[in-house]
Amino acid sequence: MQDLWDSVDRYIEHALLRADDPLSSVQQESAAAGLPQISVSPSQGKLLFVLAKAMRARRILELGTLAGYSGTWLARALPADGRLVTVEIDPKHADVARRSFGRTGVSHLVDVRVQPALEALRQLVGEGAGPFDFIFIDADKVNYPQYLEWAIRLSRAGTLIVIDNVVRSGEVADSSSTDPAVLAVRQMMSLLERDARVTATAIQTVGVKGYDGFAAVVVN
Ligand code: SAH
Ligand code: DHB
Ligand code: MG
């Protein structure tokens, strides 16, 4: 099925995305720098843009910058006085990302914080930052339950929290899994169900990134 999913994603990109978008260079530079090629796909990145723009997000938080691919899509959805705070633990990734934000012309909108996401979240709460309008969680999966808790604290009623990689080729449905990432995602899903502060769903996706999915959470 992967070949078919690839060809449909390529079709969607051809139909709805611009071939000359400077964002293509972000993926090329990221590969050349030897970074893992695990960013959201083009159609998924544009979905983040559509969601953030639809809700007129002015303050966006991202956990897991990598090369700045999803971050550029998110920054593009911001108004001129908007802000994207994006957190990355790996200084090499953060360097590539800063160059990406420069090439795509969004540097003035982006604050790259090079530190562990849990530390950044604690600091943001301490600084009285937020509330954020849109939060994209895409860093290490084992900390997803904690990221969710801090994200809710940095939210207001109506904040949209999108969480990547919650299906992982269907592994999430395996209640006997011992994979720490799967266990963490399952724990986060259970928190989402029980937590009266939020309402959540999750959607399976197929495409160039294989079989995976997003959770979408609105803060009540
Ligand atoms: N959002 C990016 C992809 C992120 S990949 C995109 O779609 O373009 C996950 C990133 O999270 C990697 O760059 C990894 O270095 C970073 N990461 C891993 N653990 C982290 C942590 N504890 N805190 C912050 N970032 C982390
Ligand atoms: C991985 C991480 C991601 O954020 C992703 O979208 C795909 C894969 C990974 O760590 O393998
Ligand atoms: Mg991801």
Side-chain angles (χ1 to χ4, degrees), residues 38-40 138-139 141 164-165 168 209 212:
I38 56 174
S39 76
V40 295
D138 194 21
K141 315 310 164 197
D164 196 21
N165 310 117
R168 306 178 62 94
K209 289 205 68 184
D212 210 326

Side-chain angles (χ1 to χ4, degrees), residues 25-39 66-67 96 100 103:
S25 76
V26 171
Q27 300 296 48
Q28 285 151 20
E29 298 285 327
S30 166
L35 269 50
Q37 298 302 290
I38 56 174
S39 76
L66 191 60
V96 175
S100 302
R103 270 198 312 281

Side-chain angles (χ1 to χ4, degrees), residues 27 35-36 38-41 48 62-71 86-90 93 113 115-118 136 138-141 143 147 164-165 209:
Q27 300 296 48
L35 269 50
I38 56 174
S39 76
V40 295
S41 70
L48 296 174
E62 174 180 66
L63 305 181
T65 316
L66 191 60
Y69 186 79
S70 54
T86 182
V87 184
E88 174 55 54
I89 199 169
D90 187 323
H93 296 185
R113 297 194 171 203
Q115 61 186 155
L118 281 174
F136 181 48
D138 194 21
D140 53 316
K141 315 310 164 197
N143 284 314
Y147 294 158
D164 196 21
N165 310 117
K209 289 205 68 184

Side-chain angles (χ1 to χ4, degrees), residues 127-207:
E127 287 166 15
F132 290 92
D133 307 305
F134 187 103
I135 301 178
F136 181 48
I137 301 180
D138 194 21
D140 53 316
K141 315 310 164 197
V142 290
N143 284 314
Y144 270 18
Q146 289 100 298
Y147 294 158
L148 173 68
E149 175 60 34
W150 286 100
I152 295 170
R153 285 208 219 172
L154 287 162
S155 293
R156 55 156 172 90
T159 293
L160 176 59
I161 305 173
V162 173
I163 305 153
D164 196 21
N165 310 117
V166 300
V167 172
R168 306 178 62 94
S169 302
E171 285 173 64
V172 72
D174 177 5
S175 61
S176 65
S177 175
T178 54
D179 179 335
V182 172
L183 289 170
V185 170
R186 289 177 62 89
Q187 189 194 341
M188 184 198 68
M189 296 285 276
S190 135
L191 292 171
L192 284 171
E193 195 278 321
R194 280 183 284 135
D195 196 320
R197 295 170 299 174
V198 294
T199 305
T201 189
I203 291 293
Q204 306 179 66
T205 57
V206 296

